[in-house]
């Protein structure tokens, strides 16, 4: 080191090779281009994600609002029960002419001449046809309302709803749109009187299938999905964990277990529609289970989810270091005790994360459910998993096939609800992983 | 005794056995647990298993076997005139007998004797009790139904008695076995191991189920339509209207569906592979840890979105957009504002499916690329290669087998994808090469043929299984090959 | 040239050591990995056409220092280098200096042989190809052959140039990597424990090769074998805990080191 300071220090001359041309400029241009492709690809991917979400949200956020018309309805006995037989014949209240009540209330509210039939029809068209069941339920629940006048909040018809939300272009020639000028005038009139207004749409969460968008909701479908998810959880978690424990901890390494291994990996990649065919042939056709029932859907989705859970569980078991096993075995614990007392609890966060992700996947699955008859028009809540029901994504599929503007809005709204479920589940999985993740 | 009550009783016996076994082992231990080979809990579990397991197995077997036996025994009581007609007639008669049997339970003894003497009409009597009969009842059915009911009643109590007896006997046998040195834990663990094995065999059973169910249904289809016609036919026209009418069964040519499937998958891969691959390369080789930790999960969100949402996206956004832009382009060039891209078309489905596949390509390739050893990277950089030269000339060639495997896995997904094509590709089964026109796929047709009312006898329905097995074989082939390549690749760098 | 005279030349060279010009000068070089400091103000100069050996116990910073010489540390996240390193008169950490150009002048051979999964020919041709040093088939053939000759591998592989480089034995692979580095005609070759993964016979061959390469290249070699340092190098630098303990003529270092720690290490008291 001393010779740094010594006078004999010489620095070598710069050789010719230092200045040779190795095409730096051209090569760096290529480098920059290559980088740009990469950034471009990522941005494009993120752009599509944003576009997808934007499509759904911009079309769907209005689905959570619904235009309602609050009218004082006079429950006249003459209309509901003209012959006074409701005490003896239960059918009277069920079949009464409730729309007439709405019509009269509208005529009074708008001050229309009741003899002008086209005008009256235009007016009644502004209120959803679902009002019949609404009023019926009020009367059946409490027959004492008959003879009284009560303000009732009715749903506006889908086109009026769309028009009021500004989704219909009113500059289009009147004959080419579904909302007529007269109705628009009334709409504005009612709105300024505070009778017609937008409010939070609870219906989309509670209603079942309906051919009328304003009365359609995902409640029934969501219950069907809930049934299926419970079945999937109850079956696939224990079976998946048991299978993984055997394969990872006990199974001898031979051709059979090798086959099972390959098989499970393949099952994870089999198209979901094939599981639908399996369910149709085995559960419905062979075992004679009911079509359209959540129990069949649950079983099909269980089979579909099992490989995912097994793969995740095996990874989680593998991640537990062998030292834990040796420690327990060294204390005289049996292999079974070692696994159930030490290895499994340590692997649990990983297993649960995998299970949640598998469940989230099953929740969004549509194709196999189409084949086992869950494309059903289900209006009422199923009482048990054996009854006909439908599922959230299937409901979305059915609505997506409807052309009306209001259904596009509903579909997007239903997708938002589905995505919120998925986000919550995935966030749960992430939190679980963060909270319990262990580094060995 | 109903089956669920019986099950409940067995479980109850199991509970009692558990505590009995536990108590007995504790008594034998004389207050010193170390005298025991196994903990008292294991002794309890051992006894409970002996009480529950054999009884449950017998119950299960009984529930399957008994109805078969009763059916055949009832069949034997039918008049010879019916039996000689064989097959469907016997089954029909048996079905009616069962309905009658159900109805008889609701009748009083007087009504039954009126029926037996022939003075009352079987169908109307039963109808009054809310039991609908498919045809006019025959008198012999009453005797057969009574036989059926009697057998069922005997069966019920016999089953209950036998099962309960087995449960109790099992428990007693096991309790007598308990001794201080008895290896209850080993016994319990053997049962546990058995159940673990049963659980893992479900994976195999699923595959067997898929193959068996599809082969048998497809086999029925091929008795109606020749395999040659199916696999090499170029016309798809199943004629739904004629379904059930027995006559002409339409044409079931697979080729147009396969062509559409592969075409759409090809367009999707064309779209997804460059984007996914470049994204993966950038993530693995260039991105800062911060960018990587945000962009990677965000891209993977695309993989978590249900495919039905993509279908909807194609339907309301991409399809109309392509249609309108093609009309504008056409207008600019020719002055004729006629769209040349249909809203439902190969490109629409292909692009949307491509978007869905981007995260598959990128995360699979990312895994593969990051597995290339650092030494190779350093070797190249140490020679003065730029990063992109290193990627293009060293890393990608080294990772190529793995990437090919990843792409094959992605392709198998594209082939099996259903909801996007159902909503975006159209249902017209035709063979053409214009990507702007609709085509249809195997999966779309499976859905089409199996939604709505169906009967499992017509080729229109059964063809779905032939399509299903074709799809299964294609994807299985792709998967096995791809997984094999990826596995080999991993081993190389481990 | 017979053996006697070669030895004589070497002796003469060694004696003139102090007059050999510096190829690279490291001044106050410090390296940080995140918060952790791995090198402390190292001042070490590398003489031209000389083999300089870096020795010291593991974790002492010798490999870290080696990697600063062609900025391979750039590829490690949160690695930071301070101080000044010059190659000839160029500051290699000057933003104006291009790292690709630098590495074309300062090549590197790694601890474990890392041939690319390509043919032997393509492995050697890789550097010339990316740097555009050869254009025609003939030029490539020539540069591959000379490089393999220089690496002493030609006779072993000339009949199977188009077989994968990964199919060679460990020692051959490492010589292939040296040939690959030589093919770029760098001025300096850095070797990071090049023999640690090799058996004794392969090690002897590589050492012989290093010896020969010295006439054309400046070589810096990291080794944890003191015998190897003594065999192949003319200058030796001893590192300990991120500090440069001593730098000296190899002969002096192994017979009469200036620093007590060097003596202890050479005697095997720690390490």
């Amino acid at each position: 080191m001393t010779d740094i300071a010594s006078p004999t220090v010489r620095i070598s001359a710069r050789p010719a090779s230092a200045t040779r041309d190795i095409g730096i400029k051209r090569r760096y241009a290529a480098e920059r281009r290559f980088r740009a492709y990469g950034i471009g690809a990522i941005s494009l991917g993120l752009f599509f994600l944003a576009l997808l979400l934007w499509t759904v949200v911009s079309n769907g956020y209005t689905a959570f609002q619904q235009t309602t018309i609050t009218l004082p309805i006079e429950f006249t006995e003459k209309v509901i029960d003209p012959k006074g037989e409701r005490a003896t014949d239960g059918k009277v209240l069920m079949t009464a002419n409730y729309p007439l009540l709405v019509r009269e209330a509208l005529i009074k509210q708008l001050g229309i001449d009741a003899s002008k039939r086209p005008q009256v029809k235009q007016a009644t068209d502004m209120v959803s046809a679902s009002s019949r069941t609404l009023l019926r339920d009020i009367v059946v629940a409490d027959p004492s309302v008959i003879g009284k006048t009560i303000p009732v909040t009715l749903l506006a018809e889908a086109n009026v709803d769309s028009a009021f939300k500004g989704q219909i272009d009113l500059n289009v020639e009147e004959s080419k749109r579904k909302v007529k000028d007269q109705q628009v005038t009334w709409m504005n009139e009612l709105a300024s009187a505070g009778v017609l207004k937008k409010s939070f749409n609870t219906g989309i969460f509670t209603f079942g299938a309906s051919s009328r968008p304003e009365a359609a909701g995902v409640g029934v479908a969501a219950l069907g999905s809930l049934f299926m998810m419970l079945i999937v959880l109850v079956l696939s978690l224990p079976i998946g964990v048991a299978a993984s424990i055997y394969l990872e901890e006990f199974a001898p390494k031979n051709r059979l277990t090798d086959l099972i291994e390959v098989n499970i990996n393949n099952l994870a990649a089999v198209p979901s529609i094939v599981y639908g065919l399996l369910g149709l042939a085995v559960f419905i056709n062979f075992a004679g289970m009911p079509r359209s029932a959540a129990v069949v859907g649950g079983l099909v989705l269980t089979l579909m989810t099992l490989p995912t859970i097994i793969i995740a569980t095996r990874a989680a078991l593998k991640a537990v270091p062998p030292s834990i096993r040796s420690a327990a075995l060294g204390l005289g614990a049996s292999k079974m005790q070692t696994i159930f007392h030490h290895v499994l609890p340590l692997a649990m966060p990983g297993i649960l994360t995998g299970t949640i992700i598998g469940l989230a996947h099953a929740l969004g699955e549509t194709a196999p459910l189409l084949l086992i008859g869950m494309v059903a028009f289900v209006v009422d809540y199923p009482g048990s998993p054996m009854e006909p029901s439908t599922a959230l994504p299937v409901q979305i599929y059915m609505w997506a096939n409807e052309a009306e503007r209001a259904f596009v809005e509903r579909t997007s709204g239903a997708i938002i609800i589905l995505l919120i479920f998925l986000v919550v589940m995935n966030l749960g999985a992430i939190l679980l992983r963060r909270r319990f993740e262990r580094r060995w | 005794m109903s089956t669920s009550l019986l099950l409940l009783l067995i479980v109850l016996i199991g509970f009692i056995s558990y505590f009995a076994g536990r108590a007995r082992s504790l008594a034998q231990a004389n207050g010193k647990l170390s005298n025991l080979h196994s903990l008292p809990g294991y002794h309890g579990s051992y006894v409970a298993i002996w009480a529950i397991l054999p009884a449950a197995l017998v119950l299960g077997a009984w529930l399957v076997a008994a109805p078969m036996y009763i059916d055949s025994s009832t069949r034997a009581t039918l008049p010879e005139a019916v039996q000689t007609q064989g097959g469907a007639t016997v089954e029909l008669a048996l079905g009616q007998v069962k309905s009658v049997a159900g109805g008889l339970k609701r009748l009083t003894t007087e009504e039954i004797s009126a029926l037996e003497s022939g003075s009352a009409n079987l169908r109307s009597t039963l109808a009054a009790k809310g039991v609908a009969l498919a045809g006019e009842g025959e008198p012999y059915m009453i005797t057969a139904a009574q036989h059926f009911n009697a057998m069922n009643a005997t069966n019920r109590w016999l089953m209950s008695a036998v099962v309960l007896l087995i449960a109790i006997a099992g428990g007693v046998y096991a309790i007598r076995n308990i001794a201080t040195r008895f290896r209850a834990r080993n016994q319990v663990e053997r049962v546990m191991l058995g159940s673990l094995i049963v659980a893992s065999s479900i994976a195999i059973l699923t595959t067997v189920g898929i193959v068996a169910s599809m082969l048998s249904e497809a086999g029925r289809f091929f008795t109606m339509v020749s395999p040659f016609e199916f696999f090499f036919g170029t016309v798809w026209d199943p004629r739904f209207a004629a379904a059930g009418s027995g006559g002409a069964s339409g044409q079931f040519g697979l080729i147009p569906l396969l062509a559409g499937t592969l075409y759409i998958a090809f367009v999707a891969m064309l779209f997804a592979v460059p984007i996914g691959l470049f994204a993966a390369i950038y993530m693995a080789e260039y991105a800062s840890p911060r960018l990587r930790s945000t962009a990677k999960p965000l891209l993977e969100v695309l993989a978590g979105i249900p495919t039905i949402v993509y279908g909807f996206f194609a339907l309301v956004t991409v399809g109309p957009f392509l249609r309108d832009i093609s009309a504008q382009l056409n207008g600019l060039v020719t002055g004729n504002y006629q769209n040349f891209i249909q809203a439902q078309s190969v490109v629409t489905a292909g692009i949307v499916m491509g978007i869905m596949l981007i995260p598959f390509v990128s995360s699979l390739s990312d895994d593969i690329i990051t597995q290339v050893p650092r030494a190779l990277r350093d070797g190249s950089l140490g020679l003065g290669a730029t990063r992109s030269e290193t990627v293009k000339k060293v890393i990608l060639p080294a990772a190529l087998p793995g990437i090919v495997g990843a792409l094959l896995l992605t392709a198998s997904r594209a082939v099996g994808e259903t909801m996007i094509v159902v909503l975006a590709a159209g249902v017209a089964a035709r063979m053409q090469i214009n990507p702007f026109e609709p085509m249809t796929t195997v999966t779309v047709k499976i859905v089409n043929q199996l939604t709505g009312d169906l009967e499992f006898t017509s080729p229109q329905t059964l063809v779905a299984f032939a399509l299903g097995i074709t799809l299964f074989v294609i994807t299985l082939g792709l998967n096995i090959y791809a997984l094999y390549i990826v596995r080999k690749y991993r081993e190389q760098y481990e | 040239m017979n053996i006697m005279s070669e030895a004589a030349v070497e002796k003469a060279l060694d004696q003139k050591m102090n007059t050999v010009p510096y190829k690279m000068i490291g001044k106050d070089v410090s390296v940080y990995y995140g918060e952790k400091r791995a090198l402390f103000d190292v001042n070490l100069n590398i003489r031209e056409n000389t083999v300089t050996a870096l020795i010291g116990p593991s974790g002492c910073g010798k490999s870290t220092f080696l990697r600063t010489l062609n900025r391979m540390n750039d590829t490690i996240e949160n690695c930071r280098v301070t101080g000044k390193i010059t190659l000839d008169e160029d500051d290699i950490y000057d933003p104006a200096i291009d790292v690709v150009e630098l590495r074309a002048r300062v090549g590197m051979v790694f601890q474990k042989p890392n041939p690319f999964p390509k043919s032997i020919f393509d492995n050697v041709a890789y550097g010339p190809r990316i740097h555009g040093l050869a254009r025609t088939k003939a030029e490539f053939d020539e540069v591959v052959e000379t490089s393999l000759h220089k690496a002493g591998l030609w006779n072993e592989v000339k009949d199977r140039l188009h077989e994968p480089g990964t199919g060679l034995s460990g020692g051959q692979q490492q010589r292939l990597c040296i040939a690959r580095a030589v093919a770029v005609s760098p001025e300096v070759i850095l070797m990071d424990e090049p023999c640690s993964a090799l058996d004794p016979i392969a090690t002897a061959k590589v050492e012989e090769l290093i010896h020969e390469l010295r006439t054309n290249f400046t070589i810096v070699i990291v080794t944890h074998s003191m015998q190897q340092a003594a065999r192949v190098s003319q200058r030796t630098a001893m590192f300990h805990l991120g500090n440069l303990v001593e730098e000296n003529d190899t002969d002096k270092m192994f017979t009469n080191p200036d620093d007590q720690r060097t003596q202890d290490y050479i005697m095997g008291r720690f390490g």
Side-chain angles (χ1 to χ4, degrees), chain A residues 22 24 26-28 30-32 34-42 44-46 48-53 55-56 59 238-247 250 253 256 258-275 277-278 280-282 284-285 291 303 306 310 332-337 340-341 360-361 363-367 370-373 375 393-394 396-398 400-401 407-409 411-412 415 418-419 422 426, chain B residues 39 42 185 188-190 192-193 195-197 199-207 209-211 213-214 217 220 271 274-283 286-287 291 294-295 298-299 301-310 312-313 315-318 351 355 358 384-389 391-392 396 409 412-413 415-419 422-423 443-444 446-448 450-454 456 461 464-465 467-469 471-472 475-476 479-480 483 487:
Chain A
I22 54 171
I24 279 295
R26 176 183 48 77
R27 288 165 64 192
Y28 271 111
E31 175 76 20
R32 275 191 301 276
F34 194 74
R35 248 169 206 268
Y37 294 148
I39 293 173
I42 292 179
L44 209 55
L46 296 181
F48 284 125
L49 176 65
L51 184 66
L52 183 66
L53 293 180
T55 299
V56 170
N59 274 314
I239 297 178
V241 171
S244 317
I245 289 177
Y246 178 72
L247 293 175
F250 290 99
K253 262 277 155 223
L256 182 70
D258 230 34
L259 185 74
I260 297 182
E261 167 115 41
V262 171
N263 193 8
I264 287 173
N265 285 333
N266 274 314
L267 282 179
V270 165
S272 59
I273 195 165
V274 170
Y275 284 96
L277 287 170
L278 171 76
L280 181 62
V282 172
I284 294 177
N285 210 11
R291 267 171 72 82
L303 292 183
L306 261 180
I310 293 180
S334 72
K335 196 160 184 192
M336 206 57 97
Q337 286 171 322
F340 280 90
H341 297 172
H361 198 89
L363 178 61
E365 195 52 71
T366 321
L370 299 183
L371 303 193
I372 55 170
V375 224
V394 179
I396 292 169
Y397 166 69
M398 289 191 282
N401 283 321
F407 263 119
V408 172
E409 176 191 286
T411 316
S412 309
I415 290 176
L418 177 64
L419 290 182
L422 294 180
N426 281 302
Chain B
L39 288 173
Y42 282 107
R185 199 196 64 226
V188 172
E189 287 183 352
R190 264 174 56 196
M192 285 170 81
L193 185 62
S195 51
L196 296 185
I197 293 176
S200 37
S201 62
I202 287 185
I204 292 276
L205 284 181
T206 309
T207 314
I210 290 176
V211 173
S213 64
M214 296 228 265
E217 304 286 350
R220 281 166 68 194
F271 191 79
I275 297 180
L277 212 49
F278 269 113
I281 291 170
Y282 192 84
M283 263 353 151
Y286 290 101
L291 177 68
T294 39
L298 272 179
L299 267 189
V301 167
L302 279 174
I305 292 177
T307 54
I308 175 72
V309 179
Y310 283 97
F312 176 74
F313 179 57
L315 199 65
V316 303
T317 306
V318 179
I351 288 177
I355 295 173
I358 290 173
T386 64
R387 273 195 179 271
S388 65
E389 284 161 355
V391 169
K392 279 186 278 193
L396 284 187
L409 275 182
S412 126
R413 257 199 199 259
V415 168
E417 173 47 43
T418 309
M419 295 321 293
V422 163
L423 287 173
T443 49
V444 171
I446 294 177
V447 171
N448 280 174
L450 286 182
T451 37
D453 285 327
L454 39 113
F456 277 96
T461 307
F465 290 92
L467 292 174
I469 194 125
L471 184 67
F472 181 70
T475 51
L476 190 74
N479 292 339
I480 289 187
L483 289 171
R487 201 167 154 176

Side-chain angles (χ1 to χ4, degrees), chain A residues 1 3-4 6 8-15 17-24 26-28, chain C residues 18-19 21-23 45 47-48 88-90 98 100 104-105 130-131 133 184-185 187 235 247:
Chain A
M1 279 201 283
D3 46 31
I4 287 180
S6 91
T8 54
V9 168
R10 286 197 296 126
I11 291 173
S12 60
R14 195 185 170 105
S17 66
T19 49
R20 66 192 162 164
D21 173 25
I22 54 171
I24 279 295
R26 176 183 48 77
R27 288 165 64 192
Y28 271 111
Chain C
N18 280 338
T19 63
Y22 290 129
K23 184 68 186 170
N45 304 334
R47 290 172 196 271
E48 195 169 28
D88 299 334
E89 53 269 17
D90 307 324
D98 183 79
V100 165
R105 291 173 64 191
I130 56 171
H131 294 306
L133 302 179
V184 184
S185 319
E187 298 151 39
R235 296 284 291 181
E247 192 243 347

Side-chain angles (χ1 to χ4, degrees), chain A residues 277-326:
Chain A
L277 287 170
L278 171 76
L280 181 62
V282 172
F283 297 127
I284 294 177
N285 210 11
F286 179 72
M289 290 174 147
R291 267 171 72 82
S292 311
V295 63
V296 180
L299 287 175
V300 168
L301 294 181
T302 299
L303 292 183
M304 209 189 79
T305 314
L306 261 180
T308 319
I309 294 185
I310 293 180
I311 291 171
T313 305
R314 293 188 65 180
L317 290 174
K318 234 179 234 158
V320 176
S323 60
I324 303 271
R325 291 179 181 81
S326 340

Side-chain angles (χ1 to χ4, degrees), chain B residues 107-120:
Chain B
L107 300 179
T108 59
T109 34
E110 293 93 70
E111 282 169 324
I112 293 177
S113 53
L115 283 176
E116 278 172 324
S117 63
S119 59

